[in-house]
Structures are given as structure tokens and as C-alpha cells.
Amino acid sequence: MIDAKEYLKKMSAELDGPIKSYIGNEEPENLMEASRQYPYRGGKRMRPAMAVACCGAVGGDRSKAVPLAVAVEYIHNFTLVHDDLMDGDESRRGMATIHVNYGMPTAVLAGDALFAKAFQIICDLDIPAERMRDALRYVSKAVWDLARGQQMDVNNEGQIVTEEVYLETIKLKTSVLFAAAAAGGALVGGADRKTAEAINEYAIEVGLGFQIFDDYLGIMGNPAKTGKSNCNDIRKGKCTVMVTHTIEALKDDAAKLAEFKSILGKMDATEEECARAKQIMKDAGSIDYAMDMARAKVNRAIETIAFLPESEDKEFMISLANYSIDREL
């Protein structure tokens, strides 16, 4: 079985040149520099890798999916620029954020420029017009859904929502762009609509599993590996599957529920209080519940692409699904 992490590094290196080739030396220079900052810096590049792999998995010419891969990466980075503005974050990927380096107006324009460049690239794909329209539908709907998911996340901040609302939020925030990359790559590779939709569903499930596991790491991960305190999400009151399950499990234990809620969202919670909140979640079976759900999402994703012929690209898609719930352990 392919090592997804190593394969991602290899594909990221291969995509580095194309990703850095589409923003020319135009005026104004500061806008060009700001637009380049995030995509040129690197990252896991899981979305562009997904586009290329899904093209190959349906028997297509992987090189034809590279422009789509670049476009999806630009869209992803456009969302990061605007996320950093909304959140007031001052650093990303070990450097100052774009609005810190270039100011808020230029950061907004850099995000807009990346978004526009992405669709310009897609319109030049070397595929039949009908397939291009289908690819554009997936990508444009993903951006629309991503905006909806971001606003839902803002609306949910500080609130305890239902599991259904939380899952819909992370689907829109995290999964849809993965899925657009996957389905778009399949379309570039010559897949019919039924195959592209199956691959889209595969990526939706991978994205859900990825985010549920990311939430798990936020609570149970090793800070030396994750790079953040596993008290952060408790102090921020982040509503996750683990939290919604705990609250439901404790509905008949008013005292313990009140204790849990008194710690959740307490910005100055001590390490001991955080440990107590984690223990309550464990005792409620919520940690295991979340991990079981993440595994179920990944298993469903792998089942969805079982019909694809055996290939290195399919093997990578399976490995990537498993990697999404087996990081930093």
C-alpha cells in the first residue's frame, strides 16, 4: 500500500512548478506579491493531489488535470486569505498573514485575484466544452457551499448545535472543495457523470472523516505533534461531535452536565479543568463515538470507489482516506 504522506510530498513537489507559474509580473507589483504569498509557500496540497489522482484513477492523462489542480489550490488559498482577515490571525505557515504584510484592502483584493485566476485557468482546460461546464458546476457550487459553511460556522460560534448541524457545517467548510477537486479531476480524465458523482461522494466522506479526526486531535492529540495545546478547543467551547454526543449522553445527569458546560468555553480554564472535561467526554463514550464515526466515513469513502479499476492512483485514494484519520498518532 502506498504511503499517503510520502506520496503527497512527491505530488506536492511535482505541482510546485505549475502552482508558481500562473501569476505573472503584472502591475501593481504589491498585489502580485500578495497573491503569490500563500500558494507559493507550499502546504500539504491535498486538494490538487486529489484532482490529479482522480484523473488518473479513471484512466485519464494526469497532466491534463494539473491546471485544474492549480485552480483548486488557488481557490483554497483565496479562502485562507479571507479566513485570516475574519479571524484576525497574524501568522500562517510560519509567516505573517497577508493582511498584516500588505494591509486589509490589498489582502481582500489578493483573495479576489486568486479566485478570478482560478476560474480563468479552468476555462482554458483542454477538455470538451460539456466536461468543462460540468467541472465548473462542481467548483462553483463548492465555493458557494463553502461560503455557506463559513457563515454557519460564524453563526454557531459559542453555541451548542445539534450533531446534524455540526456535520452539515463541516461538510460545507471542509469537504466540498475536496470533492470538487476529485470530481473535476475525474471529469478531466474522461469519466462519465455517474462516475464523477461517485468520486465526489468519496471525497465528501474523506473530508468529513478528516475534520472529525482533526477535532479528535484537538482534544486527544499529542501537543508535541499537533503543535497546539489540547486545551484550546475546550477553552474556546468548540462544538464538535464529541461535545454534542457528551451533552446528549448526559441529559439525565444534570450535575455532571452542568459541570461539563461550566468548563466548556471557559477561556481561563486550568489544565486540571480541561482534563476533567476530557474525562467526562471519555466516560460518556464520546471520544470513541467520534473515532467510530470518522472510521465509518472513511470506510464508506473506500467502498464508494471500489468499482474503479486497480491502479496506483486508486491505491493513493484509498491510502489518503486512511491517512485522513491516522495523522499525528
Side-chain angles (χ1 to χ4, degrees):
M1 183 63 71
I2 287 173
D3 183 321
K5 189 174 182 179
E6 291 304 313
Y7 202 77
L8 274 173
K9 285 181 182 178
K10 176 188 170 190
M11 292 188 75
S12 179
E14 291 174 0
L15 289 165
D16 192 60
I19 286 170
K20 294 179 178 178
S21 69
Y22 282 91
I23 301 175
N25 295 319
E26 300 178 61
E27 294 295 334
E29 186 178 349
N30 60 334
L31 178 61
M32 298 304 108
E33 290 176 353
S35 300
R36 293 184 185 113
Q37 182 172 316
Y38 285 2
Y40 284 30
R41 184 72 174 188
K44 291 187 180 70
R45 291 179 172 159
M46 292 175 70
R47 294 160 190 82
M50 183 85 82
V52 173
C54 290
C55 176
V58 299
D61 178 352
R62 297 164 94 249
S63 66
K64 286 192 173 185
V66 170
L68 175 70
V70 174
V72 171
E73 184 71 352
Y74 281 7
I75 289 171
H76 171 57
N77 281 274
F78 138 72
T79 68
L80 297 182
V81 177
H82 287 186
D83 280 355
D84 288 344
L85 267 173
M86 287 186 289
D87 296 341
D89 290 337
E90 296 186 355
S91 65
R92 179 179 290 278
R93 296 174 182 167
M95 58 185 168
T97 49
I98 292 176
H99 65 271
V100 170
N101 270 343
Y102 296 93
M104 185 271 287
T106 300
V108 171
L109 292 170
D112 293 347
L114 286 168
F115 180 76
K117 179 61 74 173
F119 282 91
Q120 181 184 358
I121 294 168
I122 293 172
C123 288
D124 288 334
L125 285 171
D126 181 20
I127 55 174
E130 185 176 350
R131 291 188 185 282
M132 185 185 294
R133 283 195 295 271
D134 286 343
L136 279 167
R137 286 190 189 101
Y138 273 111
V139 174
S140 57
K141 185 176 187 302
V143 177
W144 175 262
D145 285 344
L146 205 157
R148 291 172 55 222
Q150 186 68 34
Q151 186 62 54
M152 286 173 69
D153 194 47
V154 170
N155 293 348
N156 297 345
E157 195 168 330
Q159 306 294 319
I160 301 297
V161 300
T162 64
E163 180 180 294
E164 290 73 22
V165 169
Y166 177 71
L167 289 174
E168 181 67 8
T169 302
I170 65 171
K171 172 185 173 182
L172 297 177
K173 273 195 68 180
T174 303
S175 289
V176 293
L177 197 54
F178 276 110
L187 287 165
V188 171
D192 57 31
R193 287 177 175 173
K194 183 177 178 181
T195 298
E197 185 57 28
I199 289 174
N200 181 75
E201 288 303 314
Y202 149 84
I204 290 285
E205 297 295 334
V206 171
L208 287 170
F210 180 97
Q211 187 57 55
I212 294 167
F213 186 71
D214 211 51
D215 294 337
Y216 166 86
L217 288 179
I219 299 293
M220 303 302 295
N222 180 349
K225 292 184 177 180
T226 64
K228 66 176 184 177
S229 165
N230 51 20
C231 263
N232 283 358
D233 288 354
I234 292 171
R235 289 176 178 141
K236 290 178 181 178
K238 184 176 180 181
C239 186
T240 64
V241 165
M242 292 172 288
V243 169
T244 60
H245 183 271
T246 299
I247 289 172
E248 178 64 22
L250 296 179
K251 63 184 178 182
D252 295 326
D253 190 338
K256 192 170 284 187
L257 179 58
E259 181 187 8
F260 180 68
K261 285 185 173 180
S262 74
I263 301 170
L264 188 70
K266 183 180 178 182
M267 287 304 294
D268 60 351
T270 65
E271 293 290 330
E272 290 75 19
E273 286 174 315
C274 290
R276 176 58 183 156
K278 287 186 348 186
Q279 190 60 52
I280 291 172
M281 285 191 274
K282 283 182 182 178
D283 293 344
S286 304
I287 305 297
D288 289 341
Y289 177 81
M291 278 303 301
D292 288 345
M293 181 182 289
R295 289 191 189 96
K297 297 293 183 188
V298 164
N299 289 338
R300 194 172 301 123
I302 293 170
E303 289 169 8
T304 302
I305 59 169
F307 72 96
L308 292 174
E310 297 305 314
S311 67
E312 186 177 86
D313 287 303
K314 178 184 176 181
E315 192 175 329
F316 167 68
M317 290 168 71
I318 293 170
S319 293
L320 186 63
N322 287 317
Y323 170 70
S324 72
I325 60 166
D326 192 24
R327 295 165 287 123
E328 304 296 346
L329 284 181

